[in-house]
Amino acid sequence: MSVLPLVFTSGWASGINAYAVVLLLGIFGRVGLTDEVPASLQRTDVLIVAAALFLCEAVADKIPYVDSLWDTVHTVIRPVSGAVVGALLAGQSGSLSDITAGAVGGSTALASHFVKAGTRMAINTSPEPFSNVIMSTAEDLGVAGIVTFAMFNPEAAAIICAVLLISGLALLIYLWARIRRFLRRRAQRREERRLAAEAARAAR
């Protein structure tokens, strides 16, 4: 059976929370739930680092504006993680070339990352923090659920991820006006802080 559905699913999930994907796949491989996970993802040091970074993301991802900063930093990390995980899965199964799997995993992770980051920008236009907590928790549970489901039914999991990705991109287009307002306000705050700092220096 081709590993492509699992590569696609792990790519989508990596765009949402790359550390959770590495952690879950490593644990599933260690406990013998699947033979698709390469030994490199099951190493104890990899699991410890992934768990620590997952906890960091679990906190940062629930704080307004901090989550958007975190997403900005991970614009490169998540697609690279999706590509690496995809290539490793392909190398383990031998049913798909590493380059193809890396391209699928990386591009899918990049697309889902943009959906996540854009949605968070739109949510951050709301003054209350509860929507961030709810959204972050839903994302974490969604990633855990879809990766676990993919271990038993990879084709169905890939279809669900494809539907979520298309729906998310459509929602992102719809929310783009709100996101632009958020970016303008953030740029305005930066300019105000810069002017305030210059005024403070001039007053000394």
Side-chain angles (χ1 to χ4, degrees):
M1 183 181 296
S2 173
V3 75
L4 182 59
L6 182 58
V7 169
F8 182 84
T9 299
S10 65
W12 175 86
S14 293
I16 307 297
N17 193 325
Y19 307 124
V21 173
V22 174
L23 181 61
L24 286 170
L25 289 178
I27 291 174
F28 292 154
R30 285 284 286 267
V31 301
L33 186 62
T34 177
D35 296 327
E36 300 286 354
V37 180
S40 56
L41 293 179
Q42 301 179 38
R43 290 169 40 181
T44 301
D45 57 339
V46 172
L47 293 177
I48 291 174
V49 172
L53 291 173
F54 169 74
L55 291 176
C56 291
E57 175 148 336
V59 175
D61 206 39
K62 294 175 176 60
I63 304 174
Y65 300 106
V66 174
D67 58 352
S68 289
L69 178 61
W70 185 269
D71 287 337
T72 301
V73 173
H74 284 73
T75 300
V76 175
I77 296 174
R78 287 170 182 158
V80 169
S81 178
V84 171
V85 169
L88 289 173
L89 291 172
Q92 177 75 2
S93 71
S95 61
L96 186 69
S97 74
D98 296 358
I99 295 177
T100 301
V104 171
S107 58
T108 306
L110 181 63
S112 63
H113 164 74
F114 280 139
V115 171
K116 172 187 171 71
T119 304
R120 286 309 183 85
M121 286 183 181
I123 289 176
N124 281 332
T125 61
S126 173
E128 45 77 28
F130 302 108
S131 52
N132 296 75
V133 175
I134 293 172
M135 190 66 180
S136 177
T137 303
E139 289 169 352
D140 292 342
L141 293 176
V143 167
I146 201 69
V147 172
T148 303
F149 183 54
M151 296 296 100
F152 303 97
N153 200 327
E155 291 82 6
I159 292 173
I160 293 173
C161 288
V163 171
L164 290 174
L165 184 59
I166 294 172
S167 301
L169 290 172
L171 177 63
L172 189 60
I173 294 172
Y174 174 76
L175 294 174
W176 179 240
R178 191 170 183 176
I179 294 170
R180 283 192 301 176
R181 289 196 299 270
F182 167 78
L183 293 175
R184 282 198 300 267
R185 281 201 293 267
R186 187 169 66 174
Q188 183 179 1
R189 283 194 296 271
R190 288 177 178 173
E191 182 65 15
E192 290 172 352
R193 286 195 297 267
R194 185 185 67 81
L195 293 175
E198 290 181 354
R201 284 195 299 268
R204 293 175 183 172

